[in-house]
């Protein structure tokens, strides 16, 4: 088998009726020794991720211009106006287009919320993409299922491989003491003013920090952590009554605890216990 970094230009079409039923599936995978200019005024029907291996290009997304080169990736969401073109003698890149009902959520998990470029922590091949290009070019179900598995792995890998924007990374570092304080004090009330004092900012500014870094309001984040802890307590301390669990995770009464639990999980605490055989 030819090594991927020595391969010739190729494109693999891998969408079938069977794969369309999967929550995440590839539609095309490819590698260009030199990517030609591509203009898409009405966008592309699927999500796309491109990894640049050599050279530089200009990426335009809805009139925003970026210069992208080796060590960069860029993601394009469906039906978004874009174009990209080489600005060096050679512009080598690989790509995958994909779709499925979980595609948007998996990108969100990786930290990608919109079309645009990002930088990798290391200028190496993304291994799952490399593996997909090394697979047989067959469009058989078994090969497409393997591509779906590798696509899932690729999106998981992106979460740890992407460099966060400097400002966002600094803000996340700044808010970490607040997150630790919350984790250590879930058993009691946590006023916003108290949380803000942990890092000496105003409550209003703390709310903005949460939205920028955690993408949640402080009260929503705290409730999620309380509910996660309550699940663990249901496993570890099965003799405790529901009102005792509620108190241990900082809720004043069991009724409000049950309301929040159902809002965040889609089921009541009792249904959760039944589902996991904890009764």
């Amino acid at each position: 088998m030819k090594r991927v970094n020595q391969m010739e230009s190729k494109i693999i079409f891998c969408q079938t009726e069977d794969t369309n039923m999967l929550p995440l599936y590839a539609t095309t995978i490819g590698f260009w020794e030199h990517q030609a200019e591509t203009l898409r005024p009405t966008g592309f029907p699927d999500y796309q991720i491109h990894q640049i291996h050599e050279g530089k290009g200009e990426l335009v997304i809805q009139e925003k211009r970026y210069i992208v080169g080796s060590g960069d990736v860029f993601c394009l969401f469906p039906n978004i106006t874009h174009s990209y073109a080489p600005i060096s003698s050679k512009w080598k890149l690989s790509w995958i287009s994909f779709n499925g009902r979980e595609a948007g959520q998996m990108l969100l998990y990786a930290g990608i919320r919109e079309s645009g470029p990002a930088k990798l922590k290391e200028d190496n091949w993304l291994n799952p993409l490399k593996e997909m290009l090394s697979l047989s070019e067959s469009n058989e179900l078994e090969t497409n299922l393997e591509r779906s598995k590798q696509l899932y792995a690729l999106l998981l890998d992106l979460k740890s491989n992407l460099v966060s924007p400097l400002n966002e990374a600094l803000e996340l570092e700044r808010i970490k003491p607040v997150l630790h304080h919350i984790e250590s004090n879930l058993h009691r009330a946590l006023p916003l003013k108290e949380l803000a004092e942990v890092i000496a900012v105003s409550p209003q500014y703390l709310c903005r920090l949460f939205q920028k870094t955690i993408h949640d309001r402080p009260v929503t984040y705290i409730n999620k952590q309380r509910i996660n802890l309550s699940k663990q307590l249901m496993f570890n301390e099965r003799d405790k009554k529901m009102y005792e669990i509620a108190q241990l995770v900082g809720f004043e009464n069991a009724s409000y605890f049950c309301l929040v639990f159902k809002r965040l999980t889609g089921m009541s605490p009792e249904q959760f216990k039944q589902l996991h055989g904890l009764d």
Side-chain angles (χ1 to χ4, degrees):
M1 182 183 295
K2 191 179 291 185
R3 291 174 60 192
V4 177
N5 58 1
Q6 296 177 339
M7 71 166 54
E8 299 171 351
S9 296
K10 65 190 298 184
I11 179 170
I12 304 167
F13 296 94
C14 41
Q15 184 177 7
T16 66
E17 288 186 9
D18 289 320
T19 56
N20 286 358
M21 298 171 64
L22 296 170
L24 197 63
Y25 58 87
T27 54
T28 66
I29 305 165
F31 173 84
W32 290 133
E33 288 187 293
H34 181 65
Q35 171 67 59
E37 180 178 20
T38 301
L39 304 171
R40 295 194 177 111
T42 58
F44 191 79
D46 304 316
Y47 295 92
Q48 302 171 75
I49 293 174
H50 300 71
Q51 181 179 9
I52 302 163
H53 304 287
E54 186 179 328
K56 290 186 176 182
E58 181 182 52
L59 169 67
V60 182
I61 303 172
Q62 294 182 325
E63 300 184 354
K64 288 186 178 180
R65 296 178 179 273
Y66 310 89
I67 301 300
V68 287
S70 179
D72 292 334
V73 294
F74 60 91
C75 182
L76 298 167
F77 279 50
N79 308 313
I80 298 294
T81 300
H82 66 266
S83 67
Y84 44 91
I87 56 174
S88 58
S89 59
K90 180 170 284 189
W91 196 32
K92 187 180 295 186
L93 57 80
S94 54
W95 86 89
I96 180 168
S97 65
F98 59 97
N99 222 313
R101 61 182 180 274
E102 296 298 328
Q105 284 299 311
M106 287 299 298
L107 284 170
L108 189 62
Y109 175 79
I112 299 171
R113 296 172 178 81
E114 60 184 358
S115 299
K119 187 165 289 293
L120 296 169
K121 291 179 181 177
E122 295 183 10
D123 185 9
N124 297 323
W125 272 90
L126 293 167
N127 282 330
L129 182 54
K130 185 177 181 179
E131 288 296 321
M132 282 186 274
L133 284 164
S134 299
L135 290 171
S136 161
E137 296 184 24
S138 159
N139 199 24
E140 295 177 355
L141 178 60
E142 184 177 351
T143 307
N144 281 332
L145 288 175
E146 182 60 30
R147 289 178 182 130
S148 182
K149 292 177 189 176
Q150 293 294 341
L151 172 57
Y152 187 83
L154 171 65
L155 295 175
L156 290 180
D157 282 0
L158 278 176
K159 183 174 180 66
S160 57
N161 285 336
L162 292 180
V163 175
S164 298
L166 180 59
N167 288 342
E168 183 176 323
L170 290 173
E171 288 168 343
L172 183 57
E173 197 63 31
R174 188 176 188 187
I175 206 173
K176 278 184 179 178
V178 180
L179 304 183
H180 292 318
H181 184 77
I182 290 170
E183 186 177 354
S184 301
N185 293 278
L186 288 172
H187 60 283
R188 63 176 181 84
L190 287 165
L192 186 59
K193 186 174 183 295
E194 175 187 329
L195 299 180
E197 287 172 352
V198 172
I199 56 172
V201 298
S202 70
Q204 294 78 10
Y205 186 70
L206 181 67
C207 288
R208 289 199 294 272
L209 276 178
F210 261 82
Q211 288 288 3
K212 287 170 103 174
T213 58
I214 308 299
H215 308 288
D216 255 334
R217 294 181 304 145
V219 65
T220 305
Y221 175 82
I222 291 169
N223 279 340
K224 287 179 179 177
Q225 301 313 303
R226 294 191 200 280
I227 296 308
N228 287 338
L229 178 58
S230 76
K231 292 177 183 177
Q232 196 61 52
L233 289 172
M234 287 181 210
F235 275 98
N236 296 339
E237 303 189 35
R238 303 186 187 186
D239 58 327
K240 291 203 177 298
K241 305 294 186 184
M242 201 57 67
Y243 76 88
E244 293 176 301
I245 296 285
Q247 290 174 352
L248 286 170
V249 297
F251 288 95
E252 292 185 359
N253 62 74
S255 296
Y256 185 56
F257 164 66
C258 293
L259 179 67
V260 174
F261 194 103
K262 187 163 188 177
R263 184 191 306 150
L264 292 178
T265 67
M267 65 183 80
S268 68
E270 289 78 12
Q271 288 171 326
F272 175 84
K273 291 183 71 174
Q274 289 172 3
L275 181 65
H276 294 281
L278 301 176
D279 284 341

